[in-house]
Amino acid sequence: MRLLVCENYEEMSLRAAEILASQVRLKPRCVLGLATGSTPVGAYERLVEMHRQGSLDFSQVTTVNLDEYKGLGGENDQSYVFFMRANLFDGAEIPPEHTHFPDGTDPDSVRACRLYEEALAAAGRQDLQLLGLGRNGHIGFNEPGDAFVPGVHCVDLTPSTIDANKRFFASEEEVPRQAYTMGMRAIFAARRILLIASGKDKAEAVKRSFFGPVTPKVPASILQLHPDVTVIVDQEAYSECR
Ligand code: F6R
């Protein structure tokens, strides 16, 4: 694992964008695994800038996103499909047919998970998987539990995740209680993993994930076993590790 401690969110975002951009430049027909949430927004902004300046072409890239809220479709501004269009896909001109998500509108969890598993297999291994980090150590929506879940699955979001994500909704009641998420097998299948974390409220999770035992109680800790992981944090997120 490589750990890079940046001064602040801006520097973290720039470093992450540079890694994502070089992946696309070196292999234009690559598969990118992508995350939502507030952490990657700065990196996505940098990528859109590079594209607008003409230095980055996403036309051949395939993307697979980590997760989607169950019950939300792409027209809902809280869905992850909407988020990705607004923050990256539209600006970087990534063709919609090259992008993949679990189908949040499918009420049949078994079918939705099977179809996303098939979509992931068809897309092929991610060349680079971008991850954020939950305050409880989750990656994607792989919440703390008694075992790492290998396949795409439907999760009951934990109170900690509902609390963390309510800032995006009008009220806590509106936060969906379930989500479809990529499982650990597909995350782990990525050739390279890039995890980014920023801010004091991630400090405990960074410490437990990368400086503690590997345990499903801290889902991101499994990344300690992956052969090619880069973790980029800012000073605040690193503050508990000193
Ligand atoms: C989102 C995702 C989540 C977030 C995590 C951190 O697709 O997979 O694991 O990365 O909840 O969210 P933020 O960045 O909002 O703190």
Side-chain angles (χ1 to χ4, degrees):
M1 180 183 98
R2 280 175 295 275
L3 175 69
L4 180 62
V5 184
C6 295
E7 203 44 46
N8 52 32
Y9 178 79
E10 283 66 37
E11 192 191 340
M12 179 204 75
S13 301
L14 182 60
R15 292 302 191 95
E18 283 167 348
I19 291 173
L20 286 154
S22 55
Q23 173 65 62
V24 175
R25 289 192 184 112
L26 290 171
K27 185 178 174 191
R29 195 179 283 277
C30 63
V31 179
L32 296 182
L34 297 175
T36 59
S38 38
T39 314
V41 170
Y44 292 158
E45 276 171 14
R46 299 284 91 73
L47 291 175
V48 169
E49 259 169 44
M50 293 178 204
H51 174 71
R52 293 211 167 115
Q53 286 159 3
S55 67
L56 198 52
D57 175 12
F58 286 92
S59 61
Q60 299 182 70
V61 169
T62 295
T63 68
V64 290
N65 260 80
L66 284 166
D67 39 26
E68 180 58 281
Y69 287 117
K70 183 174 176 182
L72 301 192
E75 73 297 334
N76 187 308
D77 62 4
Q78 298 303 338
S79 72
Y80 287 164
V81 171
F82 191 100
F83 174 98
M84 289 305 303
R85 285 188 191 137
N87 287 285
L88 182 66
F89 296 163
D90 289 353
E93 295 183 271
I94 301 182
E97 62 276 18
H98 292 190
T99 68
H100 304 279
F101 293 82
D103 181 1
T105 65
D106 191 341
D108 180 340
S109 303
V110 174
R111 180 179 52 202
C113 294
R114 178 175 48 78
L115 290 176
Y116 198 49
E117 203 69 74
E118 287 171 13
L120 292 173
R125 278 172 76 187
Q126 307 90 306
D127 292 287
L128 179 59
Q129 174 67 56
L130 178 66
L131 297 173
L133 180 67
R135 295 192 307 208
N136 60 4
H138 75 208
I139 47 178
F141 275 135
N142 290 272
E143 298 283 38
D146 294 332
F148 295 110
V149 183
V152 175
H153 55 288
C154 179
V155 275
D156 295 328
L157 300 178
T158 61
S160 152
T161 299
I162 292 167
D163 182 59
N165 289 5
K166 71 181 183 206
R167 67 192 193 277
F168 299 114
F169 292 81
S171 71
E172 185 171 329
E173 287 62 52
E174 285 183 33
V175 185
R177 272 21 189 188
Q178 290 188 308
Y180 296 131
T181 184
M182 201 186 274
M184 288 301 190
R185 181 177 50 229
I187 293 176
F188 225 75
R191 291 185 171 84
R192 296 197 293 151
I193 292 178
L194 171 59
L195 182 141
I196 52 178
S198 162
K200 197 108 197 105
D201 62 342
K202 299 295 172 68
E204 189 64 32
V206 169
K207 181 180 170 193
R208 294 178 69 210
S209 300
F210 304 112
F211 299 94
V214 175
T215 163
K217 307 260 183 262
V218 186
S221 65
I222 199 173
L223 300 176
Q224 293 178 38
L225 306 177
H226 189 282
D228 194 336
V229 175
T230 302
V231 175
I232 308 183
V233 295
D234 63 10
Q235 289 287 355
E236 286 189 350
Y238 187 64
S239 57
E240 291 288 325
C241 306
R242 288 199 194 90

